[in-house]
Amino acid sequence: MQEAREILTQGKSWPDRYTYVPALRIGNMVWLSGTTGTDEAGTITAPGDIVEQTRQIFRKFDALLKAAGGSCNDIVQTHDFFVTTENYAGTADVRREFFTTARPTSSGVKVAGLLRKDALIEISAMAVIGSAPAA
C-alpha cells in the first residue's frame, strides 16, 4: 500500500496555478522545494547578502519542518544553487546555526542566474523526520 502524500504549506493557502508545493511529506520523508530568501510577500529579505538570504531560507525550512514534527536537524541532504561565490563561505556558519546535532550531505552549484530577481542563492533539501541523533 502506497503512503499518502501530504503537502506542507504551514497552513497557508497555495495557489493552484503553481506546479509545485513548498514541501511534500510521504511517511517520515520530506522534500523541500527550491527556496529563496524571501519574506511573506515574496520580496528578497536581504538584497546583496548571500549569508542573510541563506539564513532566511533555513528559517523557512525550519518552520515547515516544525509544522511536520521535525526541524532542520532532520535534513539529510541539501542542494545549493548560487550566483556568486562572494561571501559564500559565510553560509557555512548559517548551516552550523541550523544543523546543531547532525550534518547533511550537500552539493553546491554555481549558476548564471536564478528565476527570482535579486536572489543570490536557492536551496532545496530532503529531510527524514526523526533521523537526527539526540543532542
Side-chain angles (χ1 to χ4, degrees), residues 20-113:
Y20 71 98
V21 295
L24 180 67
R25 181 178 186 161
I26 301 174
N28 66 338
M29 296 183 71
V30 177
W31 290 264
L32 298 145
S33 286
T35 301
T36 54
T38 57
D39 61 18
E40 293 292 322
T43 304
I44 292 292
T45 56
D49 187 345
I50 195 170
V51 173
E52 190 54 37
Q53 287 184 27
T54 301
R55 185 172 285 111
Q56 179 64 8
I57 291 166
F58 283 113
R59 284 184 195 120
K60 291 165 74 173
F61 283 172
D62 204 49
L64 282 164
L65 290 168
K66 282 182 176 167
S71 74
C72 278
N73 282 313
D74 293 303
I75 293 176
V76 296
Q77 185 174 50
T78 63
H79 296 283
D80 296 7
F81 302 92
F82 48 91
V83 298
T84 181
T85 56
E86 185 177 337
N87 295 326
Y88 181 71
T91 66
D93 292 331
V94 175
R95 294 170 67 86
R96 287 182 188 94
E97 290 174 28
F98 287 89
F99 305 136
T100 59
T101 62
R103 303 281 191 258
T105 64
S106 185
S107 61
V109 180
K110 186 174 181 197
V111 296

